[in-house]
Amino acid sequence: MLMILTAWASVLPTILMAPAKHMWTLATSQGFLITLLSLSWMYLQNFNFANPLFLIDKISGPLAILTCWLFPLTMLASQSKMRLEPISRQRAYILNLTFLQLTTLLAFSTPDLMLFFIFFEASLVPTMIVITRWGAQERRLEAGMYLAFYTMLGAIPLMIWITKFYYTHGSLLPTLTHTLHITQASTNYPGLFWAIYNAAFLVKLPMYCLHLWLPKAHVEAPIAGSMILAGTLLKLGGYGILRTSPLLQESNLAQTLPIMLIAILGILATALLCLRQTDLKSLIAMSSVSHMNLVVAAVLISSPWSYSGAMMMMIAHGLTSSALFCLANTSYERTNSRTMILLRGMLLIFPLAGAWWLIVMLLNMGLPPSINFASEIIIMLSLFNWSPVTFLIVALNLVFTTAYTLYVLWATQRGPLPNHIKTLFPYQIREHLLLFLHILPGFLLILSPELII
């Protein structure tokens, strides 16, 4: 772990001192080196690494590797637009993304409750800088304010709970896992207690009704901001809920029923809202909300199968959603528009890019035998065991997801080319490599899904 953190730290002097010509290449290469080192958690230690400073287990390990994997991909995705800016701004951009991914990695790997809270909140600062400084639209400041207020207001109950724990036990030093076993709440309303101290995580996921900041942030953010937001920052909320799940006993399920109902409503409502979107990035953001509400429903059931399904869903969504934002960005860079009616007919000009669109959208839809499909099946089985009626209601989500998947493919790939488009520059090898590296882990995990269960 220290070796990986040293590699992360070495990115900073590299970016500051590297010549402009080689800066992006060096940053991307170091990112891939860090990813290679992080795979040792999976193959050498089997997600079983713990000491007073770091904790890598079956919950944090896959998410930490996902964080390391997405960093070099954000470097690949950002180059075409960022190379046009002054070199000082390019350095600031890369340093900001490095700090963001480092805080996220430390949040996933710390065993200490207070440090987890600090890194969880620290990731907000570089995210806001990326959105408000490098966002391309005029409402980016509003998106940054939404993100800040939602996150900070949700964090207040969690901070109060941590303070109460410190007051009761005199320390915050026990590991995160041990902490949650010994702080069983003595309250008459355990469901309400769970919802309040998890408010920070439910906002971050986000749960339906607390999700209004996400479409704004995604639409206003540059490509790297959207990739990291969808790929790793949303997963911080899921990780927090999974870590605090020992407090959610089966006897409390009746108490958390309102949260379950909101999550089920969110799964269906946001999938239907996707059919009403005209902005491509907004549609992908709504799709993320639908998938993350499925994670909330799985955690509330609190069975081993549902936890496995939630974990698989987060990894699968982190890769697929990030790939979708990359595809939306490649179209935006060529047409300067995210309106789907202006993107139609792309299949005629870019047939290989059309193949990428088809593959990624089918993965997002949950086509067998992808891990997206496996995660949805596991969560659906858990829902059926818990309540067959709930299963039948949530199963409608499969129909709605298929509907908006076909809607996106039809709107962006089929039809005549718009008259205003005169010339489009071809896809670069860098972009094909970027999309291939998003899809590759998903295909490899089909062969050995036990790595993330």
Side-chain angles (χ1 to χ4, degrees), residues 340-374:
M340 285 192 282
I341 195 70
L342 300 178
L343 302 176
R344 69 181 190 271
M346 286 293 174
L347 191 63
L348 294 169
I349 311 172
F350 304 124
L352 185 54
W356 289 126
W357 270 104
L358 180 65
I359 292 168
V360 176
M361 288 308 297
L362 288 177
L363 288 175
N364 188 60
M365 188 175 73
L367 188 79
S370 65
I371 53 167
N372 307 64
F373 169 76

Side-chain angles (χ1 to χ4, degrees), residues 202-274:
L202 294 173
V203 166
K204 202 75 168 181
L205 257 170
M207 190 178 75
Y208 189 67
C209 299
L210 303 172
H211 73 289
L212 292 179
W213 64 271
L214 186 72
K216 281 183 181 293
H218 271 310
V219 167
E220 305 300 326
I223 177 59
S226 289
M227 286 173 67
I228 296 171
L229 202 57
T232 55
L233 290 180
L234 301 190
K235 309 306 172 284
L236 273 174
Y239 174 72
I241 290 176
L242 282 171
R243 275 282 182 236
T244 55
S245 56
L247 279 175
L248 190 67
Q249 313 252 311
E250 283 203 27
S251 57
N252 299 346
L253 271 176
Q255 305 274 342
T256 53
L257 200 58
I259 308 292
M260 176 67 96
L261 292 175
I262 293 170
I264 292 166
L265 174 66
I267 293 165
L268 301 176
T270 48
L272 280 171
L273 277 172
C274 286

Side-chain angles (χ1 to χ4, degrees), residues 118-407:
I118 289 168
F119 290 129
F120 178 84
E121 290 301 314
S123 64
L124 171 67
V125 179
T127 311
M128 273 197 67
I129 293 171
V130 166
I131 292 172
T132 54
R133 173 62 190 83
W134 283 283
Q137 310 298 316
E138 59 185 17
R139 300 180 70 179
R140 59 185 187 272
L141 292 175
E142 184 187 335
M145 292 296 287
Y146 263 71
L147 171 63
F149 274 97
Y150 266 87
T151 306
M152 288 191 293
L153 286 173
I156 292 168
L158 181 62
M159 192 167 66
I160 293 170
W161 180 61
I162 291 173
T163 311
K164 172 72 166 62
F165 173 74
Y166 179 76
Y167 176 76
T168 307
H169 297 279
S171 172
L172 286 169
L173 289 176
T175 63
L176 202 54
T177 47
H178 179 55
T179 297
L180 298 169
H181 282 297
I182 62 174
T183 54
Q184 185 59 41
S186 54
T187 172
N188 295 328
Y189 304 101
L192 183 64
F193 173 73
W194 182 89
I196 288 174
Y197 78 74
N198 270 311
F201 306 134
L202 294 173
V203 166
K204 202 75 168 181
L205 257 170
M207 190 178 75
Y208 189 67
C209 299
L210 303 172
H211 73 289
L212 292 179
W213 64 271
L214 186 72
K216 281 183 181 293
H218 271 310
V219 167
E220 305 300 326
I223 177 59
S226 289
M227 286 173 67
I228 296 171
L229 202 57
T232 55
L233 290 180
L234 301 190
K235 309 306 172 284
L236 273 174
Y239 174 72
I241 290 176
L242 282 171
R243 275 282 182 236
T244 55
S245 56
L247 279 175
L248 190 67
Q249 313 252 311
E250 283 203 27
S251 57
N252 299 346
L253 271 176
Q255 305 274 342
T256 53
L257 200 58
I259 308 292
M260 176 67 96
L261 292 175
I262 293 170
I264 292 166
L265 174 66
I267 293 165
L268 301 176
T270 48
L272 280 171
L273 277 172
C274 286
L275 289 166
R276 296 283 297 155
Q277 300 300 315
T278 55
D279 186 305
L280 188 55
K281 283 185 86 171
S282 182
L283 187 147
I284 301 166
M286 282 296 180
S287 166
S288 294
V289 178
S290 180
H291 284 98
M292 290 299 100
N293 276 273
L294 207 53
V295 171
V296 175
V299 173
L300 285 171
I301 294 169
S302 62
S303 69
W305 270 95
S306 68
Y307 290 150
S308 296
M311 192 73 224
M312 286 185 80
M313 174 66 79
M314 287 198 288
I315 298 297
H317 175 266
L319 294 165
T320 310
S321 187
S322 181
L324 282 171
F325 280 113
C326 288
L327 283 166
N329 184 63
T330 56
S331 298
Y332 177 73
E333 286 176 352
R334 285 159 178 79
T335 61
N336 289 315
S337 174
R338 295 186 313 271
T339 306
M340 285 192 282
I341 195 70
L342 300 178
L343 302 176
R344 69 181 190 271
M346 286 293 174
L347 191 63
L348 294 169
I349 311 172
F350 304 124
L352 185 54
W356 289 126
W357 270 104
L358 180 65
I359 292 168
V360 176
M361 288 308 297
L362 288 177
L363 288 175
N364 188 60
M365 188 175 73
L367 188 79
S370 65
I371 53 167
N372 307 64
F373 169 76
S375 62
E376 287 191 15
I377 283 293
I378 292 171
I379 293 174
M380 289 292 181
L381 287 172
S382 305
L383 276 168
F384 183 78
N385 285 334
W386 180 66
S387 164
V389 177
T390 309
F391 163 77
L392 289 173
I393 295 169
V394 175
L396 289 171
N397 178 54
L398 303 177
V399 180
F400 300 152
T401 305
T402 307
Y404 74 72
T405 299
L406 293 174
Y407 167 55

